[in-house]
Every structure is written in C-alpha cells, then in structure tokens.
Amino acid sequence: MQAVRLRPGGEVQALQALFLFTDDAKHLIPNKMRDFFCTINLDQEEVFRTQVVEKSLSPYFGEEFYFEIPRTFQWLSFYIYDKSVLQKDLRIGKVAIKKEDLCNYTGKENWFTLQPVDSNSEVQGKVHLELKLNELITDNGSVCQQLVVHIKECHGLPLINGQNCDPYATVSLVGPSRNDQKKTKVKKKTSNPQFNETFYFEVTRSSSYTKKSQFQVEEEDIEKLEVRVDLWNNGNLVQDIFLGEIKVPVKVLRNDSFQAWYLLQPRENGNKSSKTDDLGSLRLNICYTEDCVLPSEYYASLRNLLLKSSDVQPISASAAYILCEVCRDKYDAVLPLVRLLLHHHKLVPFVAAVAELDLKDTQEANTIFRGNSLATRCVDEMMKIVGKHYLKVTLKPVIDEICESPKPCEIDPIKLREGDNVETNMENLRYYVDKVFREIVRSSISCPTLMCDVFYSLRHLAAKRFPNDPHVQYSAVSSFVFLRFFAVAVVSPHTFHLRPHHPDAQTSRTLTLISKAIQTLGSWGSLTKSKLSSFKETFMCEFFKTFQEEKFTESVKKFLDDVSSTESKEPSGLSEPVHLKEGEMYKRAQGRTRIGKKNFKKRWFCLTSREFTYHKQQDKEPIFTIPIKNILAVEKLDESSFNKKNMFQVLHGEKPLYIQANNCVEASEWIEALCRVTRCNQKRLTFYHPSAFLNGNWLCCKATVENTVGCARCTADVPADTQIEIDGDRETERIYSLFTINMSKLQKLEEACGSIAVYQGPRKEPDDYSNFTIEDSVATFHTLKQIIDTVEKLNESHEKYQKKRSSSAEYGSEKNPIGKVS
C-alpha cells in the first residue's frame, strides 16, 4: 500500500506498505539440483531474503512479508540466487515490476517468467539538471546557439558491494554526426553526490562572421540532437560500473530553461539478451494499493459517522455495518474498520452490537460464533492486532523449542516413516501438547484488557440468548480464544511473527497435530458431551484416551473465567520483559582504532520492553545495555555524517549511539519499534541534532559545544495508545475508497430504502440488495444519505488535490515521466 498524506502546509508525505507472498519457483536453470534462495529488492536495495531451499529445481519458499516502504522507488524486484559455499552467489534471474504496474497484479497469484540479470538494466536514483538553450552574438558579429547543462546533484544511487559508490557523470551532446562529451569530477563514497558543475556546448555555428548568413546547421538538425547524462561508479583499478542514464531532446528546450529531477533509466539495450534461454518462473502473490491521505480535518464527517455506529438503532442501519454489507469481500472492510474503532476506543460496543445481531440468527448453542459473520471477523482481526505480545510471551518459547529441537510426533500409521515407533511418537506429541496447553491456561494474567472486555461481552450475550444452557457462556469465548487464536497461531507461527520463516514439512505436521489437540482440549470445558466422537481420524481418538477429561476441563473453565472477566489483569509484581525485536546491524565504535579514527563494527542488537542491548554474537552476553527508561530520543541520522545510508541514532544519557541498518525497511522498523517502547519516557527530548558531532562541531548547525541543545525538532509525538500504532486518517481514507468503489450499490440501496419507507411497496431490483439486512428502512435511508453526501464532499477534495498535483508536474519531474510533458 502506498499512501500520500497532504499536511496542512501542503507538504506531501509518502506512506507506503506492501504485502508479499513468495510462493515457489519452477524449472530453474542450471538443470541440476541446487540450493536456491530469493531476495526482495526496492530498486537495487535488498530488503528481505528467503530461507535457502536445498537441492531443488522447483524450490517452494512459502514466505510472507509485510512491510512499510519508507522511501520512493521505481522497481520492485525479485532475484533468484544459486547459493554457493566457496564463491559468490550466482544470480539466476529476476522478476522486475515497475511501481506503476504493481496495481495490475495486486490481490492475486501470478506466475512471472524470470528475466536475465544485465548490469546495464540495474539502475536506481535520480539526477537534478538545469538545461538552457542560449542564442549568442560573438564579438565579430556572428550568431550561434549554445547549450548550457548544469548538473546539480544526484540522489539515491545504489550501493556497490554494500558500500557507497564513487560516482561521476558524463554529459554528452549527441547527434547524427557528433558526440561531444564532458565529464564531472569523481565524488567519493556517497550515494547523493553534489556535483554543481556547468558544461557548455555549441549547438549551431555560423557559416561566416556576419549576421546576414545565419546558421550553417539548419533548424531541422536540432530535432535530432539530444543531451545524454550517464552516471558511473569510478572503478579505479577495475572497470567502471554503469549506474543509469537520462536523455533529453534539445528540441524541447527552444529558448526556455528547464530545471527538474530526472529518474535514471537503463540503457536501451539493457536486459536484452541475444540468447533467450528459459530461466524458469516465479509465483508471487502481491498486495499493493495506493491511497491519498488528506489532512485530518477533511475526514471529520466520515470519521464521526463511523464512530457513532454502535449507538445507531438498529445496528444494521449504521455506517460501519453498511460498509461491510456493500463490500464484496468483507475482509477488505473489516481490517480498516477494526483499526479505526480500536484507535478511538469504540470497538467493544460495536462488536457487542453486531454479535447480538448474529446471535438472533443462531438456533443451536453448539454452533455459536462458528461462521464467518461480521462479528467473528471483527473479533478475529482485533485479536491479531492487540494479541501480538500476548502470543509472544505465551507461545514463542515453546514454539521455538518445537521448531529448533524437533521430535518425531507422527501418530498416523499411514504416514509413519520406516523405523518410527508410534508409541514413542505419541509420547513426544503428548509432551508438546501438555506444554503448549499448560502455557495457555497459565497465561490469563497476560491477556490484553481489550480482549477480556470483548470476551466478557460475548459471554454475557450468549448466556442471555440461551439461558437454559450453562455451558454456552464458555463456548462463546473458547470458540475465539482457542479455535481462532491459539490454535491458528500454533499451526502458522510465521504468520503471527512467532517464527521468522515457514517451518519445514515435518515440523508443520507436528504443529498441525498439536493445534488439533489444543482445539479439542479448549472445547472440553465448554461442552458436556465427549469430543472423542468428533475426530474423523481413529489415531486421534486413541491419542485422546490418554487425557484425563476432568482435569483439563477444570483448567479450561478457570482460564475462560479469567479471560472473560472485567477485573484488572495487571500482575502485582514485575513481569518478564517482552522480546520485541532483534537482528544484526552495524554500530559506530565508542572508542578509537589504532590510527585514531572511529570505525563501524557488526553487532547483534536486541530490544525488549525493558532494555536495548548489543552483543558480539547472537546468544552471547551483552556488551552494552541501555535501559528503556534512559532513552531520550530515536531519530534518523543524515547520510552526510559518515557517508553511510540507513543510519539512525539512539540518544541516551551518554554519547549518542550511531547505528547503520542493512536497508531502508530495516532502519524504519527499528526506529518505529524503539520509538514505540520509549514514547512514555518522561525525559524525552524535544530537539536533537540530525547530524553527528565531528572534528569539534556539529555538522548540522556548526555549533562547537557538544552538549548544546539540538537544532531540529524531534519527529516522534506521543500517541494516545503506546501499544497499538494506528494511523486513524489512513484507515478512514481506506474506508472512503471502499465507499467510492461501491457507490453504485449505496445509491441502489438508498433507492430501495426510500421505496420501502415511502410506499411500503415491492422492492425493486432484488438482485442488487436482496442479501442486505434492512431492519429499519427509514434509519438505513438516513445513514445512506449521510454516507453518500460525505463521500461526494471528499471526492471534491481529492479532485482538487489531483488537479493541483497534475498542474505542478514539470517535464522530467518524478510526477511526470521523461518524454511526457503536462
């Protein structure tokens, strides 16, 4: 997803996010069993890579990635590598998708043919140029035309072998019979070089030294001339590397001056191979949408209409309910709706209202909340959002044990491997099930208050609907917390960020068996009849005969009582620290090297809810520890400080800790995680220095006192909810987009309600709204009219912005691709 936010001052801020599912590749070359992995790149910057799939020609990756994109980009690329032990990994091929084309592939699975990797096509970045065509009269009276090319700067050039490049530019005037070339100076170790060099080219020459004879080069020859700027990395002792080029026809200049940013392009013959070998193909599922987020005040009417939904009688006449009714896929509406209601503390009453409507159609207590209704989907999404930490502290240690030290647990006689002992496997499975179950039923004290509040409402609504069934109040809660939360997390730990990658086949099978057991154990405390009869597999019935029903029933009942209580679940003592994030990055050494210069060292970083540490290696004792309460600010660091990209700084009581992440996505995620856990610190700074203190002064403001107050305002504001990071305006914009897409349905539904309310006559066009719930046609008509009016006003605001954006696009700018003049 990419969002563009318009701030009150008119500044445009890009907010981008992307969901990817890398599935599998097939028929890769070379045609022999190899070890493959896949990388995900924004332009030339690698942001993720999959696990290595060993000895395969058709590797299955099966990994999901969801990430915010903190910068602009031109291409989303996927590279398939042949893993090598002794030599450099070999790139087999790639899939490169233009940013503008991502919307064509979103939301569906696609097979992409791998293309050859050609260095001439591997480009990224942009160049800032000023071009002018002058007409000059020389001292002797002759007239000529002169082209002035001012190459100012470049931005976002790629890293070369993991380091900033040494770029230079060649500027050429090219025509059918000429190729005049000039060259800038080489800039050392930077991806954002400042050139500020001007070059002059004679475009036309006089045929004599009098004004009368005019030009030797006719006007039509100017049509064939073009300015070409090529960017190169200076290779010193090795061959220079092509970084990209741009071409501008001279004819578009005439007597005008153009100044704009130009996106670097690949060479025209780039990525064209004389031999079209079949390199194989890659299956991807990409989800990408684009939003334009206006200032918050523009959404006030729509936001208020949605937030008061729980107060509308009946609930089916509310804006939130209508949103989910008109969307073909309810999930598209549920995700932004739940996040918006969560952000404004309105979710619990809305879930209670839609759950009560759901219960009206439930005839039997044992089928309560088993379907995919609006109520169940809202609760599912709520648990995913607010239950992340709860799952980590409850399940991660035991899931890690299962994945890292797996024991054979297959008990299906048909699937047993040669040499397996079914009794031993059953003991292993019983050990894992006992451990997972024990962790769950002991975890009620960690259950988030919001989840407890929702479970409390569901429990009492179920008891009210079926007053003669003493067990229904428990099944109402267990159907969510066991069946839809813990059991799902066990079988898919990578989806809930309990594991970094998809487990292997054997471990997945073990987790599936554990998940089945947890589902059954969770339902025993809520239903009176034995669950052995519910198993389709005989081997699972045999396995459950080893369990003592009464013991587990009591444990489940107590757990369900605890998590559906409105009493505070905060522990009286200090809780264990929550593990939030870890990974390998580079930090600037606090001391000095032998030659007197501070260097950068690779370290393993770990963030918990209590402290931020770094270690020489993973699982080693920490070298340096910063208590979370001592962190004063976390901010980006200007690249110019150390000529390194993706840097940020952690400000605490001592000198700033300067850290370099491996890519822009990783840097953004670390900054966000650190900011979230420290935003309630009382001594947070208001101002900071965006650059480093080097050689006796701050590079940003030139102040010479190291402990002087910062020169820039800190970017992080303290949110109302430090646990859940939600952009309410962005979610409202997504809901507006859904209403816009389904405007025709809203209008037909409004017409139907008007007909029912006024005439009480037959419904028109039943196919268009016969599946909609219209309990009160007058109330529904009133809400629909408000929705349509609000959406139309927002349409006007968006049209004004798009018109302003279109009119401000200049030739060569990022908003208007080269060769298209607005």
Side-chain angles (χ1 to χ4, degrees), residues 252-268:
V252 303
L253 301 177
R254 299 300 177 185
N255 294 321
D256 295 328
S257 174
F258 281 88
Q259 181 178 177
W261 283 97
Y262 295 81
L263 295 174
L264 291 173
Q265 303 295 321
R267 281 179 173 167
E268 287 188 351

Side-chain angles (χ1 to χ4, degrees), residues 383-423:
M383 291 190 297
K384 289 179 184 177
I385 296 171
V386 305
K388 287 181 181 179
H389 288 168
Y390 181 32
L391 282 176
K392 277 191 176 182
V393 298
T394 305
L395 292 183
K396 192 176 190 316
V398 65
I399 295 294
D400 285 344
E401 178 186 342
I402 296 168
C403 294
E404 293 168 9
S405 304
K407 299 178 181 179
C409 295
E410 184 56 70
I411 58 175
D412 184 352
I414 300 175
K415 295 182 179 181
L416 282 175
R417 296 181 178 181
E418 186 176 351
D420 279 356
N421 184 298
V422 68
E423 293 182 359

Side-chain angles (χ1 to χ4, degrees), residues 190-236:
T190 177
S191 296
N192 302 316
Q194 302 282 332
F195 292 113
N196 282 321
E197 296 189 40
T198 304
F199 302 99
Y200 301 90
F201 298 88
E202 284 187 345
V203 176
T204 59
R205 301 181 181 90
S206 59
S207 57
S208 67
Y209 292 99
T210 63
K211 295 181 181 180
K212 189 185 295 184
S213 53
Q214 294 290 317
F215 302 118
Q216 179 184 355
V217 181
E218 298 297 334
E219 183 71 21
E220 55 265 25
D221 290 328
I222 299 180
E223 301 284 325
K224 303 173 183 177
L225 293 177
E226 66 180 10
V227 180
R228 191 176 74 198
V229 178
D230 295 83
L231 271 295
W232 298 86
N233 176 64
N234 183 37
N236 292 321

Side-chain angles (χ1 to χ4, degrees), residues 254-494:
R254 299 300 177 185
N255 294 321
D256 295 328
S257 174
F258 281 88
Q259 181 178 177
W261 283 97
Y262 295 81
L263 295 174
L264 291 173
Q265 303 295 321
R267 281 179 173 167
E268 287 188 351
N269 62 345
N271 210 21
K272 292 182 181 178
S273 175
S274 58
K275 187 178 180 181
T276 56
D277 290 330
D278 183 6
L279 301 176
S281 52
L282 179 67
R283 182 166 58 172
L284 299 168
N285 191 339
I286 301 171
C287 182
Y288 179 88
T289 59
E290 190 168 322
D291 301 318
C292 170
V293 184
L294 301 172
S296 186
E297 58 267 22
Y298 284 81
Y299 298 106
S301 297
L302 180 58
R303 184 169 55 242
N304 293 337
L305 195 59
L306 292 162
L307 294 181
K308 70 178 184 181
S309 292
S310 57
D311 300 325
V312 176
Q313 294 293 334
I315 189 64
S316 60
S318 68
Y321 193 92
I322 291 171
L323 169 70
C324 299
E325 287 281 88
V326 297
C327 289
R328 187 176 65 176
D329 187 347
K330 275 187 171 60
Y331 180 78
D332 292 339
V334 166
L335 179 58
L337 178 62
V338 167
R339 292 174 67 85
L340 179 68
L341 295 176
L342 265 176
H343 185 63
H344 293 279
H345 310 288
K346 294 287 187 179
L347 182 64
V348 176
F350 178 75
V351 168
V354 293
E356 188 172 14
L357 181 63
D358 196 12
L359 286 170
K360 287 182 180 179
D361 298 326
T362 305
Q363 301 304 319
E364 296 182 12
N366 61 359
T367 62
I368 191 169
F369 298 132
R370 293 298 175 95
N372 283 323
S373 64
L374 175 57
T376 58
R377 291 195 178 196
C378 284
V379 177
D380 286 350
E381 201 56 48
M382 177 274 297
M383 291 190 297
K384 289 179 184 177
I385 296 171
V386 305
K388 287 181 181 179
H389 288 168
Y390 181 32
L391 282 176
K392 277 191 176 182
V393 298
T394 305
L395 292 183
K396 192 176 190 316
V398 65
I399 295 294
D400 285 344
E401 178 186 342
I402 296 168
C403 294
E404 293 168 9
S405 304
K407 299 178 181 179
C409 295
E410 184 56 70
I411 58 175
D412 184 352
I414 300 175
K415 295 182 179 181
L416 282 175
R417 296 181 178 181
E418 186 176 351
D420 279 356
N421 184 298
V422 68
E423 293 182 359
T424 302
N425 289 3
M426 192 173 290
E427 290 177 4
N428 293 338
L429 181 59
R430 175 61 190 264
Y431 168 79
Y432 283 147
V433 170
D434 280 343
K435 195 161 188 178
V436 172
F437 180 80
R438 186 166 58 251
E439 293 298 325
I440 291 173
V441 295
R442 290 178 179 178
S443 70
S444 60
I445 198 168
S446 302
C447 186
T449 303
L450 185 66
M451 287 177 63
C452 295
D453 291 342
V454 170
F455 294 153
Y456 175 83
S457 296
L458 298 177
R459 176 178 177 172
H460 285 271
L461 286 170
K464 179 181 176 182
R465 174 68 178 85
F466 298 100
N468 297 324
D469 189 329
H471 303 287
V472 71
Q473 58 178 317
Y474 295 109
S475 60
V477 179
S478 67
S479 62
F480 287 106
V481 72
F482 277 101
L483 273 66
R484 295 173 176 264
F485 187 58
F486 284 119
V488 177
V490 167
V491 81
S492 302
H494 59 289

Side-chain angles (χ1 to χ4, degrees), residues 608-612 626-633 651-653 677-684:
T608 72
S609 55
R610 191 174 296 170
E611 58 191 18
F612 181 50
I626 306 176
I628 293 300
K629 63 181 181 180
N630 291 352
I631 296 178
L632 306 177
L651 307 178
H652 56 110
V677 78
T678 61
R679 277 176 170 168
C680 289
N681 289 358
Q682 295 181 353
K683 296 182 180 180
R684 282 189 62 86

Side-chain angles (χ1 to χ4, degrees), residues 149-160:
V149 180
H150 181 193
I151 178 167
K152 296 188 173 184
E153 59 181 317
C154 293
H155 183 78
L157 298 181
L159 300 177
I160 305 296

